[in-house]
Amino acid sequence: MAGYLLKRLGGAVVVLFLTALLLAAAVHLVPGDPARAVLGAHATPELIAQIRAKMGLDKPVAVQLWDFFSGLLHGDLGTDFVGGVPVTTLIGEALPDTLALAVASMILAVAGGVPLGIAVARRPGGILDRLTHGLSMIFVSAPVYVTSLILLLIFAVKLRYLPAMGAGQFSDPVNYLSRLILPATALALFWWGYLPRILRATMLEVLSAPYIRSARAFGFRENVIFYRYALRNAVLPIIAIFGLMVGYSLTGTVFAETIFGRSGLGTLALSAIDQRNWPVIRGVVFTYALFFICANILADLSYRVLDPRVRLSEEFETGV
Amino acid sequence: MITRRNLLLSAAALAAIRPLGAGVAFAEGTTLRFGPQLDPGTLDTLTNVYDYPFPPFSTVYEGLTSYMPGSEWKPVNRLAETLELAADGKSISFKLKEGIQFHRGFGELTAEDVKYSFDRATGKVKLYPDAAEGDVSYYGGDFGSYKEVQVTGKYTGVIVFEKPFAPMLRLTLPYATSGLIVSKKAMEALGKEGWLKAPVGTGPYEVVSYTPNKELIMKRFADYGGAAGQDAKSWPWDEIKVSLVNSSSAPTGAALTAGVESGDFDFTYNASPLDALRLQNNPAVKAYIVQQPMSYNFLQLNVLHPKLANPKVREAIRYLIDVPALIQAQDLDVATRLNALIAPQMGVGNWPEAPLYERDIEKAKALLAEAGVSALELDLSAPSGGSATAATVMQVIQANLAEGGIKVNVLLTPPDTYIKDKAVGQLSWSNYGGAPDPFYQFEWFTCDQFSQWNWAFACNADYDKLHEELAAERDEAKRTEIAIQMQKLMDASLGYIWVNHQVSCAVTAANVEAAFDPNGNPYLQYFKKV
Amino acid sequence: MSELRQTVMRMLARPAGSIGFAIVVLTLLVAVTAPLIAPYDPAAIAMAKRFAAPSFDHWFGTDHLGRDNLSRVIHGTRLALAIAFPAVLAAFAAGLLLGLVAGYIGGLIDRVLTVIADTFLSFPSVILGLALLTLVGQSVLNTTLVIALSLFPYYLRLARGLALSIRHQPYIKAERSLGARRGRIMFLHLLPNMLPPLLVVVAMDIPSAIVIEAGLAFLGLGVPPPAPDWGVLLNEGFVNVAISAWPLVGPLMAIIFVTTGFTLLGETFRDIADPRLAGLGRRTGRFLMRRAR
């Protein structure tokens, strides 16, 4: 296990290095002059030259690469082209809102998906089962931006129930939480379709297992069998997909943040792209890669711990 | 490209949604809370990225003259008691008002400060006493052939030029941040670091603290000299708080106006027409749509590109473009249409008889046939990006030209060479910011602006010569004549299709009355509480 | 041939399969006949009719430039498929070949290819797509390539694993001991055995590609106008949602309808074609998850 972990971490470091190299080199390929993009419509040539110098764009490529890497080792992602703010500061400001949304969506996902899955598995073939079977397909297929837009249309535009735009301030928790409801739900819908499906399948598998049959033979009540024995085993795969949930939430937030006008990592990336503010793009993409790699390692690890069978099919790992 | 700004502004889903628990937004107390506003980079008059009198520059500093709120482009004296241009146009003599104080006890304004400010702007003295290598003025160009200020008395002096420079009176002194007066004594005492933390001007509000990308706090200047008029001390705000954001995290659209709607701010601007239209029905706030006649949107046709080299092709394009549709696509009133570069509001340089080209598809087709062109395919891009509605406008242009048999490829992310290389760029949807002097408005279309802002690559020696004459000529009637000639040359070059001047949209709390200069820039000290 | 027919019959026998099949056939029909069935030219601008509500003339109303919403959605179907199919096939072909080489030859080539694949896998597709499109500029071809690039590492990984496991089968060892050349073994023996499970993933990836493409376009980095791309329609509809919600209705319905249809069909195909993948997919959800990224 320790050896495996070490191998994965080593691989992750190599991949992160390559990622950083790709991102650092890419700045010279970005079309559009960031100095112009930043200065807008009436910049004098002197001003453009000044800003380019300030951005370090007039230095040789090798020097720029070196600057980036030596900074990276000190946890420095460079400074934003315009305000000269450290990119890490910008990311640090954006991250809490993104994480709040990701966590909220995961809580909603489990809080809604697991009970639904249990109810469905309790009466397979029942009305609820049939109903959710059809719906789950749609929930699982619909991308985050579709669910977000539909929620926006229904609850914010049509019914005007909930505040739609912006992330709010931590200092006003009630308001902050109320602004989380719609985007978090949009992200959780996928899991409301997905969790009951796997829960139902594993539940049925477990319920037909020999030890459950013997439990029945011993005359345990059906409820005791279901909740005490079967459920415990069926929940394992759900814990195992935690890492995947993290990955899904992080990328889903890009859309949810855009549609609900929230500040966060996703909107930071998009506005940076808009301005060709490459240090910020680079920093945000690097951060995503970092989280994503961690989430994937977490996913594979938890999987290995919880389900020994996986080791047999290592070829299907996602890699890093 | 379809920008994020575009996206968010729409998130106008907020359409009528009031933030939870908010009733009518009211400004409380005597603090004006303004924001979010883009950080100016620095509060220095010469190294900020604004160049134009956006707040807080118009609030902290004052110039010899200034424009007043409203729509009239008529400079009034501010720090100057009198101001006079010499007959030969090569010097401006001034007399300062007496008793004007600088902030924080840095003494009375004298002609020495004027000299120091202008020498500094033009690089004749160091930017700071302890200036580093890269510390240079960005805006020396605003001063033309400035030579020196001759100080003739405590309050009097003469601004001297090598050659006449007329834009000084309309642009540099009343409008550009580079024309604002700083305290020489304060600069010498504070040095670079101290100055950038809290610079010293004579304006009605002084800087209390400036945290870049976060917040700027100004308070009423107790010893204000009243250069802006008698009522200066009766202005309602004791304090002005500006919430600053980095351009990377600047909110747009509904996220931009949400602060005013929820009562966190009393004022915000740089909203889009769509925001303003949406908020006009919201009684909690007041929405403003202000004309910006100096800033203009137009289409440039690269006259040197082989596909556009034939004037008949360019003329055909002119007849294919449906200008009113382009304006509507920006959610604007067709009344903002421009027929030539200089808007009538400028007061000087307008060409009233400028031809108004109506759409005429048959004529366009005939011109294309005459040119022997068929199956023409052109690139269209918006190289300055930024504009929320550029993608929409470009789709209309695309559809317009398609009706004449011209296929247009919209490049959402144009390569660098699009504006730099005359063999690459073709059609460019352009949004230029402007300033209140025709000299400045014409500046972008000279030969030496190739690969800078002259995306039409139209170069005409006569035009450049007239441009220089425009700098030297001080008689407004004659300047208008020159400007008309220049606009005729632009018209004849077939490199430009004028569309509209821009508008600025802003939102205030219901009990705040905003004030704007004639180009739609907010003038914080003139804001009223109602 | 009869095997294919049998597979299809078995898929149609399941309700999910028959519904999915019907939706997919309908989608393909709409895509092929778009110019015939769309009531208007999707690019025809009519400023006088901006933001019209649904009527007999315009069943789904008009957009911010007075264009017919229904016609734009219909033509968008064509574009969605025209990007998704080539993107997935390119990812499949590249992943298959490189994975085969990595898995069978092994050694340094294997390590290099795996690290490259892992590097691409460490970005969420949408983020990778945003960054790449910023670099290379927006066009139909670039969008297709970027989607292919973000999908191919999965195929590489999968193909590599399959090649590794098949290579140790007794009959391959026998071939090798008989002196068969490497190329012959790779293409005559490994490749055919790797195809079925990979084709399952191809089927499952079509909706993923549609969703990634529309997502990028929605964020402003999609195909250039006037292409009535579903993501662009969502973007434009979202921008103007305060004035009219109708431009959003069509593309939203279309995306749900088409992705659900393809997913139903793909899952049924998977369950029938390769039970091993079925189990895996259900347990890890990785194949479903991909589109979300």
Side-chain angles (χ1 to χ4, degrees):
Chain A
M1 195 71 213
Y4 173 76
L5 188 63
L6 216 63
K7 194 180 124 202
R8 292 300 308 269
L9 287 180
V13 170
V14 173
V15 166
L16 269 179
F17 175 79
L18 274 180
T19 305
L21 190 70
L22 273 179
L23 291 172
V27 66
H28 308 287
L29 307 169
V30 194
D33 184 340
R36 259 168 196 283
V38 159
L39 289 169
H42 60 267
T44 58
E46 294 88 353
L47 179 54
I48 291 177
Q50 280 297 317
I51 293 290
R52 283 188 69 86
K54 211 164 135 191
M55 291 172 174
L57 290 174
D58 53 347
K59 290 190 204 162
V61 177
V63 175
Q64 292 188 41
L65 273 182
W66 171 251
D67 285 353
F68 177 67
F69 268 100
S70 58
L72 195 62
L73 288 178
H74 302 102
D76 174 9
L77 286 168
T79 44
D80 138 52
F81 273 164
V82 203
V85 186
V87 173
T88 42
T89 309
L90 289 175
I91 292 174
E93 283 168 5
L95 205 53
D97 287 330
T98 298
L99 290 183
L101 177 56
V103 169
S105 78
M106 287 194 279
I107 292 173
L108 272 185
V110 173
V114 171
L116 193 62
I118 291 171
V120 167
R122 198 82 182 84
R123 303 215 193 310
I127 300 170
L128 192 65
D129 187 16
R130 278 187 219 168
L131 201 70
T132 49
H133 189 73
L135 268 183
S136 77
M137 215 48 232
I138 294 176
F139 283 179
V140 162
S141 304
V144 176
Y145 51 88
V146 166
T147 54
S148 296
L149 284 171
I150 290 175
L151 287 177
L152 186 82
L153 282 180
I154 296 175
F155 289 98
V157 178
K158 193 83 192 148
L159 300 177
R160 295 177 192 176
Y161 274 157
L162 293 161
M165 306 315 299
Q169 300 288 332
F170 280 122
S171 54
D172 185 354
V174 175
N175 184 282
Y176 192 88
L177 286 178
S178 72
R179 284 164 191 273
L180 273 175
I181 297 173
L182 284 182
T185 307
L187 283 165
L189 275 176
F190 172 85
W191 299 103
W192 291 352
Y194 188 67
L195 288 181
R197 283 181 59 163
I198 45 171
L199 206 59
R200 178 183 182 276
T202 42
M203 237 4 223
L204 294 182
E205 205 180 308
V206 171
L207 281 174
S208 61
Y211 75 95
I212 298 288
R213 264 183 277 146
S214 2
R216 278 212 188 93
F218 276 112
F220 282 112
R221 272 184 302 137
E222 201 54 27
N223 270 339
V224 176
I225 292 174
F226 189 87
Y227 289 107
R228 188 164 309 157
Y229 295 102
L231 193 58
R232 188 186 290 172
N233 283 301
V235 166
L236 285 186
I238 295 197
I239 300 172
I241 58 171
F242 177 71
L244 291 175
M245 280 177 109
V246 174
Y248 175 90
S249 305
L250 275 177
T251 43
T253 48
V254 178
F255 294 106
E257 281 168 8
T258 305
I259 291 168
F260 294 101
R262 295 174 59 88
S263 49
L265 219 48
T267 36
L268 181 65
L270 288 174
S271 67
I273 283 175
D274 218 29
Q275 299 173 315
R276 301 286 176 269
N277 200 340
W278 192 252
V280 180
I281 303 177
R282 188 163 65 187
V284 175
V285 173
F286 191 76
T287 310
Y288 270 113
L290 198 67
F291 271 100
F292 219 60
I293 289 173
C294 291
N296 270 335
I297 291 183
L298 197 68
D300 286 341
L301 275 186
S302 53
Y303 218 65
R304 288 173 86 84
V305 174
L306 293 167
D307 191 350
R309 278 171 300 177
V310 180
R311 286 178 210 178
L312 300 175
S313 57
E314 196 170 322
E315 69 261 34
F316 293 118
E317 264 171 28
T318 43
V320 169
Chain B
M1 63 186 285
I2 302 171
T3 62
R4 186 181 104 75
R5 186 183 147 63
N6 207 340
L7 274 181
L8 281 182
L9 105 208
S10 61
L14 193 104
I17 303 161
R18 305 249 187 89
L20 215 58
V24 177
F26 269 124
E28 284 162 23
T30 53
T31 299
L32 179 69
R33 299 158 306 163
F34 160 41
Q37 145 119 335
L38 217 60
D39 192 275
T42 73
L43 292 186
D44 194 296
T45 52
L46 303 171
T47 58
N48 65 83
V49 297
Y50 294 167
D51 192 11
Y52 295 156
F54 303 150
F57 291 91
S58 49
T59 316
V60 172
Y61 301 100
E62 290 173 310
L64 295 181
T65 61
S66 91
Y67 291 106
M68 292 298 284
S71 57
E72 210 184 345
W73 286 103
K74 206 169 159 354
V76 297
N77 286 345
R78 178 129 308 181
L79 294 177
E81 178 88 55
T82 61
L83 196 74
E84 204 174 330
L85 184 66
D88 66 358
K90 289 204 310 201
S91 63
I92 301 168
S93 50
F94 63 87
K95 179 176 182 305
L96 296 172
K97 288 177 184 163
E98 290 180 28
I100 303 277
Q101 295 295 320
F102 278 111
H103 302 156
R104 311 214 303 269
F106 279 104
E108 194 187 353
L109 167 79
T110 68
E112 278 296 334
D113 294 305
V114 177
K115 177 179 169 56
Y116 178 72
S117 301
F118 293 176
D119 282 353
R120 194 173 164 261
T122 50
K124 298 200 187 312
V125 298
K126 280 201 285 187
L127 201 62
Y128 312 104
D130 53 345
E133 181 86 14
D135 292 330
V136 294
S137 162
Y138 295 166
Y139 304 118
D142 292 345
F143 287 78
S145 59
Y146 168 84
K147 192 173 156 206
E148 60 177 345
V149 171
Q150 292 165 354
V151 178
T152 53
K154 190 175 180 191
Y155 303 110
T156 55
V158 186
I159 310 167
V160 184
F161 298 88
E162 307 276 1
K163 286 186 291 184
F165 185 64
M168 194 76 183
L169 291 179
R170 288 187 61 97
L171 171 74
T172 318
L173 294 182
Y175 198 72
T177 60
S178 55
L180 298 169
I181 306 300
V182 300
S183 161
K184 183 181 182 185
K185 195 172 150 195
M187 186 73 77
E188 279 165 355
L190 295 171
K192 180 182 173 184
E193 205 189 326
W195 181 262
L196 291 181
K197 239 182 234 163
V200 173
T202 61
Y205 290 85
E206 60 180 321
V207 176
V208 175
S209 70
Y210 168 53
T211 320
N213 297 304
K214 211 170 173 70
E215 195 175 41
L216 168 71
I217 300 176
M218 293 175 282
K219 68 168 191 220
R220 194 198 292 272
F221 176 37
D223 294 325
Y224 180 60
Q230 289 306 311
D231 55 349
K233 282 192 175 147
S234 62
W235 287 331
W237 317 109
D238 285 336
E239 192 182 42
I240 298 177
K241 269 190 186 165
V242 186
S243 169
L244 297 170
V245 286
N246 179 269
S247 74
S248 306
S249 42
T252 47
L256 173 71
T257 57
V260 175
E261 290 172 80
S262 66
D264 292 334
F265 292 120
D266 305 318
F267 173 69
T268 193
Y269 77 121
N270 279 339
S272 76
L274 205 56
D275 292 323
L277 292 174
R278 158 171 71 82
L279 291 171
Q280 267 174 351
N281 300 320
N282 183 344
V285 298
K286 244 190 278 184
Y288 302 73
I289 300 181
V290 188
Q291 308 271 320
Q292 288 189 293
M294 299 303 105
S295 307
Y296 46 101
N297 298 338
F298 61 116
L299 184 69
Q300 299 194 64
L301 292 66
N302 179 354
V303 303
L304 294 185
H305 194 280
K307 286 182 181 173
L308 291 164
N310 188 334
K312 289 212 162 65
V313 174
R314 303 202 297 274
E315 199 179 353
I317 292 173
R318 184 151 74 183
Y319 283 114
L320 283 174
I321 297 287
D322 182 357
V323 174
L326 261 55
I327 298 171
Q328 275 181 300
Q330 303 171 59
D331 300 304
L332 291 177
D333 196 320
V334 183
T336 59
R337 178 165 183 175
L338 274 183
N339 301 326
L341 173 57
I342 308 293
Q345 289 94 327
M346 177 94 80
V348 54
N350 178 242
W351 178 20
E353 290 85 28
L356 186 139
Y357 296 101
E358 302 274 9
R359 190 157 196 237
D360 190 337
I361 301 174
E362 289 319 308
K363 200 164 175 179
K365 282 183 174 162
L367 281 162
L368 285 172
E370 269 177 60
V373 171
S374 61
L376 184 60
E377 210 173 316
L378 292 172
D379 288 344
L380 166 66
S381 194
S384 51
S387 165
T389 42
T392 306
V393 172
M394 289 197 289
Q395 291 190 54
V396 179
I397 296 173
Q398 190 176 43
N400 282 172
L401 297 194
E403 286 182 66
I406 301 174
K407 183 171 186 283
V408 170
N409 304 312
V410 173
L411 305 184
L412 293 173
T413 36
D416 269 3
T417 48
Y418 199 85
I419 50 175
K420 292 190 173 147
D421 187 339
K422 59 179 188 284
V424 177
Q426 295 169 30
L427 307 176
S428 301
W429 173 245
S430 320
N431 319 116
Y432 285 11
D437 191 275
F439 172 79
Y440 192 87
Q441 299 295 68
F442 284 117
E443 188 179 17
W444 316 116
F445 311 105
T446 57
C447 300
D448 58 8
Q449 284 283 337
F450 273 26
S451 80
Q452 296 286 343
W453 295 100
N454 190 346
W455 303 340
F457 289 96
C459 173
N460 184 324
D462 291 340
Y463 177 95
D464 287 16
K465 208 171 125 256
L466 287 168
H467 189 236
E468 276 171 35
E469 280 176 31
L470 196 59
E473 181 57 61
R474 61 196 199 91
D475 182 76
E476 297 224 325
K478 282 188 187 149
R479 294 191 88 199
T480 299
E481 251 172 59
I482 298 171
I484 290 175
Q485 279 186 53
M486 293 176 81
Q487 287 170 93
K488 283 182 177 164
L489 288 175
M490 292 180 98
D491 183 58
S493 77
L494 289 155
Y496 314 89
I497 295 170
W498 305 108
V499 178
N500 62 304
H501 64 72
Q502 296 165 12
V503 301
S504 160
C505 300
V507 192
T508 61
N511 65 338
V512 172
E513 178 83 46
F516 302 90
D517 80 5
N519 208 35
N521 303 311
Y523 236 141
L524 295 186
Q525 62 262 45
Y526 293 105
F527 277 33
K528 288 198 188 86
K529 214 163 145 179
V530 291
Chain C
M1 205 56 221
S2 68
E3 201 182 330
L4 178 71
R5 198 166 148 187
Q6 212 180 358
T7 313
V8 172
M9 290 316 286
R10 278 171 67 196
M11 281 166 66
L12 289 181
R14 304 186 179 200
S18 53
I19 295 173
F21 189 77
I23 293 178
V24 169
V25 168
L26 187 64
T27 309
L28 291 173
L29 263 179
V30 168
V32 172
T33 61
L36 300 176
I37 56 174
Y40 295 88
D41 173 358
I45 284 173
M47 295 308 275
K49 289 196 289 186
R50 302 176 79 197
F51 300 115
S55 64
F56 277 117
D57 287 342
H58 299 280
W59 292 4
F60 280 82
T62 61
D63 74 355
H64 62 301
L65 294 176
R67 296 173 294 197
D68 182 53
N69 286 330
L70 179 62
S71 303
R72 288 177 70 70
V73 172
I74 289 174
H75 278 267
T77 314
R78 194 174 241 212
L79 191 64
L81 299 185
I83 292 177
F85 276 104
V88 173
L89 289 178
F92 162 73
L96 175 64
L97 282 179
L98 294 176
L100 182 60
V101 168
Y104 189 73
I105 296 175
L108 186 66
I109 295 183
D110 180 27
R111 277 202 217 142
V112 170
L113 285 175
T114 317
V115 167
I116 292 176
D118 286 356
T119 307
F120 280 107
L121 279 175
S122 64
F123 298 105
S125 329
V126 167
I127 301 294
L128 181 70
L130 286 177
L132 285 177
L133 284 175
T134 310
L135 289 177
V136 297
Q138 291 158 262
S139 71
V140 172
L141 180 66
N142 285 349
T143 302
T144 312
L145 288 178
V146 161
I147 295 171
L149 202 60
S150 69
L151 292 179
F152 103 94
Y154 293 90
Y155 289 94
L156 195 157
R157 273 271 175 186
L158 201 56
R160 175 182 171 272
L162 288 168
L164 268 178
S165 64
I166 298 172
R167 139 186 206 186
H168 294 300
Q169 301 275 341
Y171 72 96
I172 301 284
K173 281 185 184 155
E175 274 277 332
R176 220 171 352 192
S177 62
L178 287 175
R181 273 182 301 145
R182 206 149 68 171
R184 186 186 149 83
I185 295 177
M186 271 165 65
F187 288 100
L188 278 182
H189 295 287
L190 261 62
L191 199 67
N193 281 303
M194 288 161 64
L195 281 180
L198 284 175
L199 282 177
V200 168
V201 184
V202 167
M204 307 274 298
D205 261 348
I206 295 292
S208 310
I210 293 176
V211 163
I212 295 174
E213 189 275 321
L216 288 171
F218 173 72
L219 293 177
L221 282 159
V223 300
D229 180 271
W230 288 344
V232 173
L233 298 192
L234 286 180
N235 177 310
E236 293 174 343
F238 175 54
V239 169
N240 295 298
V241 72
I243 302 177
S244 166
W246 285 105
L248 277 177
V249 175
L252 283 176
M253 279 169 48
I255 291 177
I256 291 179
F257 189 70
V258 171
T259 52
T260 306
F262 272 98
T263 310
L264 282 173
L265 193 68
E267 290 210 330
T268 316
F269 179 45
R270 176 197 63 191
D271 290 351
I272 287 166
D274 194 333
R276 189 167 56 131
L277 275 174
L280 185 99
R282 198 167 282 146
R283 278 209 308 269
T284 69
R286 253 171 217 153
F287 298 108
L288 275 175
M289 299 287 309
R290 199 176 315 156
R291 87 188 38 152
R293 297 175 170 187

